[in-house]
Amino acid sequence: MFAIIETGGKQYRVEEGLELNVDLLKADAGDALSIDSVLLVDKDGDTKIGAPYVEGAKVECEVLGHLRGEKVVVFHKLSKKDARKTQGHRQDYTKLKVNSIKA
């Protein structure tokens, strides 16, 4: 059984027991989280597709913690001038564990 959920403007394929990193959510480590924006649920070949979401479907998750991704270096240089700028960015993530999928 798997589902496709939407969180943070991105879509993820999840199964029970899966751990995944999503964009930062306002939740503390150890909290239970319920995601209602389920786009698709597949249970043994029986597929339910939402328009846009599947009614009554939920994905129950547990927040394992927060972390930061790898550093991305952004470098700007103007040719024929002595102008350059270096910037860095690290994305914040929330680590989730999928406990159950209810459809």
Side-chain angles (χ1 to χ4, degrees), residues 5-8 10-37 59-67 92-100:
I5 62 170
E6 179 183 29
T7 179
K10 299 182 179 94
Q11 297 174 4
Y12 300 94
R13 183 184 192 272
V14 297
E15 297 176 355
E16 291 184 11
L18 180 75
E19 293 181 4
L20 71 149
N21 296 331
V22 298
D23 284 344
L24 188 67
L25 299 172
K26 292 182 181 178
D28 294 326
D31 286 353
L33 189 69
S34 176
I35 299 174
D36 297 329
S37 54
V59 175
E60 302 290 333
C61 301
E62 177 186 352
V63 178
L64 298 179
H66 301 287
L67 57 120
D92 293 320
Y93 294 108
T94 299
K95 189 171 188 96
L96 296 179
K97 180 178 182 185
V98 179
N99 292 331
S100 65

Side-chain angles (χ1 to χ4, degrees), residues 62-78:
E62 177 186 352
V63 178
L64 298 179
H66 301 287
L67 57 120
R68 300 186 79 191
E70 293 289 319
K71 183 174 222 174
V72 177
V73 177
V74 181
F75 182 73
H76 296 281
K77 183 176 188 309
L78 293 175

Side-chain angles (χ1 to χ4, degrees), residues 75-79 81-85:
F75 182 73
H76 296 281
K77 183 176 188 309
L78 293 175
S79 61
K81 300 185 176 23
D82 193 21
R84 27 182 211 265
K85 179 172 84 170

